[in-house]
């Protein structure tokens, strides 16, 4: 029987996907809500999903499903244990955006350490034109050379971020797991890292252990004036607490490419803040043309490998 492949949120990957190397029937939808999944995927053998959630209840209503191919690295929206119980293989796409996301995080760090948004605002407001000197001295400007970067998450993106930071003369520390009793070689205790880092950059997955990893206590424990970068997942940080820390001057800046709910149709504390030392980008750190092409190729490769009974990036 020819397998039916359904891509439930095709518009989330705006590049061509290489052809699958076996006979199949293919259906795609620009986007899908969780409520539409059962109707659209009732006879699907293979489902491709980027960010559409699949709960145990939804999976139980899809008895034909054999493979759930995630068009991304993160899989916190998939009940992997339910897939395992149901015999559904799950695969994701890995390391396609390590360099790309690291570049985005590095860009945010540089802009905030130099207070670029604040100076852009001042120039637009005519402050420079009225300055008494040849330049306008506004928000503080700091060098990366000699500063300390703390990284949470030592995977591909974290390592790529570290490589770039060292090239700029920064000291790089990798954080041990929060609450860990033992600090591994090559890592720094979580609390000690918070106190030392001039910049803290998050590159870890979102799960039950990391949700609200950075909340009010952690923000207060950070080095005064430090910069917080998050290009991982929005749920890692308590957003209300972050805005308060920025407004009260505990932090020197924050750069976020992710929010707790995306898209933020009902608003978000970070979008309401409108602070010159806060940069929010719309989850595009991964979205260079080169990275998306690598993602699409690996996505197709995962499905072809699974169908051929070969090794793919399985999670289950």
């Amino acid at each position: 029987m020819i397998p039916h492949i359904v891509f439930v949120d095709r518009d989330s990957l705006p590049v061509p996907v290489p052809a699958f190397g076996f006979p199949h029937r293919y259906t795609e939808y620009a986007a899908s809500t969780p409520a539409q999944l059962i109707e659209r995927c009732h006879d699907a053998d293979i489902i491709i999903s980027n960010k559409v959630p699949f709960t145990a209840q939804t999976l139980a209503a899809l008895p034909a499903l054999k493979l759930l191919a995630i068009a991304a690295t993160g899989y916190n929206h998939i009940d992997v244990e339910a897939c395992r119980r149901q015999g559904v293989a799950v695969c994701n796409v890995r390391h396609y955006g390590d360099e790309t996301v690291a570049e985005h995080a590095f860009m945010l760090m540089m802009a905030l350490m130099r207070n670029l948004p604040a100076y852009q605002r001042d120039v637009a407001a005519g402050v420079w034109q009225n300055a008494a000197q040849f330049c306008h001295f506004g928000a503080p400007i700091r060098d990366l050379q000699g500063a300390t970067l703390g990284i949470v998450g030592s995977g591909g993106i974290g390592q790529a971020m570290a490589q770039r930071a060292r090239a700029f003369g920064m000291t790089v520390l990798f954080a041990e797991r929060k609450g860990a009793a033992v600090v591994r070689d090559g890592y720094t205790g979580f609390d000690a890292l918070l106190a030392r880092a001039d910049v803290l950059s998050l590159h870890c997955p979102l799960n039950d252990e990391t949700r609200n990893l950075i909340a009010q206590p952690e923000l207060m424990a950070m080095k005064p004036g430090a910069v917080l970068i998050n290009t991982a997942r929005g749920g890692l940080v308590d957003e209300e607490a972050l805005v308060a820390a920025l407004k009260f001057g505990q932090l020197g800046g924050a750069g976020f490419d992710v929010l707790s709910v995306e898209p933020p149709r009902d608003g978000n504390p970070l979008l309401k803040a409108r602070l010159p030392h806060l940069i929010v980008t719309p989850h595009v750190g991964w979205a260079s043309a080169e990275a998306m092409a690598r993602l699409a190729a690996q996505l197709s490769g995962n499905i072809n490998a699974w169908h051929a009974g070969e090794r793919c990036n399985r999670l289950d």
Side-chain angles (χ1 to χ4, degrees):
M1 187 172 181
I2 296 178
H4 184 195
I5 302 174
V6 179
F7 198 154
V8 295
D9 51 352
R10 182 66 180 86
D11 282 4
S12 67
L13 184 59
V15 294
V17 175
F20 306 113
F22 55 90
H24 63 277
R25 183 161 58 95
Y26 177 79
T27 306
E28 65 179 34
Y29 298 95
S32 299
T33 66
Q36 294 171 321
L37 291 178
I38 295 173
E39 176 186 355
R40 292 180 171 183
C41 303
H42 68 279
D43 65 342
D45 301 277
I46 300 169
I47 294 176
I48 303 172
S49 171
N50 191 327
K51 293 292 182 288
V52 181
F54 279 79
T55 64
Q57 182 178 5
T58 298
L59 290 161
L62 301 173
L65 182 60
K66 300 177 182 67
L67 172 66
L68 185 53
I70 304 171
T73 299
Y75 53 90
N76 54 288
H77 59 298
I78 305 295
D79 191 330
V80 177
E81 180 57 34
C83 289
R84 185 178 294 113
R85 292 195 304 267
Q86 194 168 316
V88 176
V90 183
C91 60
N92 69 342
V93 178
R94 304 173 189 177
H95 299 298
Y96 74 94
D98 288 355
E99 311 297 327
T100 303
V101 177
E103 285 186 17
H104 196 86
F106 203 88
M107 172 194 71
L108 294 172
M109 176 174 67
M110 288 193 69
L112 290 164
M113 289 290 280
R114 308 294 294 187
N115 260 311
L116 177 62
Y119 281 102
Q120 286 183 307
R121 179 199 61 179
D122 288 353
V123 169
V127 176
W128 191 17
Q129 289 92 318
N130 297 313
Q133 305 295 331
F134 68 95
C135 62
H136 160 58
F137 297 109
I141 296 173
R142 292 177 285 175
D143 291 337
L144 297 184
Q145 172 75 35
T148 297
L149 170 64
I151 298 177
V152 180
S154 58
I157 299 173
Q159 294 294 342
M161 183 68 168
Q163 181 184 36
R164 284 156 177 75
R166 293 187 183 109
F168 273 69
M170 299 184 78
T171 298
V172 176
L173 304 175
F174 282 98
E176 182 55 87
R177 293 183 181 90
K178 185 178 178 180
V182 177
V183 178
R184 294 166 290 171
D185 290 343
Y187 291 82
T188 301
F190 188 83
D191 293 338
L193 184 140
L194 292 182
R196 291 179 58 184
D198 297 292
V199 180
L200 180 66
S201 193
L202 307 182
H203 301 288
C204 58
L206 175 64
N207 52 44
D208 291 340
E209 294 182 358
T210 61
R211 191 174 301 278
N212 280 338
L213 180 76
I214 306 296
Q216 184 180 18
E218 291 73 29
L219 291 166
M220 296 303 295
M222 288 177 67
K223 188 175 182 178
V227 167
L228 176 62
I229 305 296
N230 186 11
T231 56
R233 287 290 183 267
L236 296 173
V237 179
D238 181 329
E239 293 161 336
E240 293 279 6
L242 172 62
V243 171
L246 289 168
K247 287 184 174 180
F248 290 123
Q250 170 62 19
L251 292 188
F256 274 52
D257 187 48
V258 288
L259 298 177
S260 55
V261 177
E262 299 172 344
R265 301 191 192 284
D266 297 321
N268 182 281
L270 301 189
L271 300 182
K272 296 176 183 177
R274 299 185 182 278
L275 299 171
H277 55 332
L278 169 63
I279 303 174
V280 179
T281 54
H283 204 146
V284 290
W286 66 281
S288 72
E290 296 87 350
M292 286 195 291
R294 290 192 294 268
L295 187 159
Q298 192 176 147
L299 172 66
S300 179
N302 276 340
I303 294 172
N304 286 329
W306 174 85
H307 185 265
E310 299 171 354
R311 184 176 180 83
C312 62
N313 293 333
R314 289 186 61 155
L315 299 171
D316 53 313

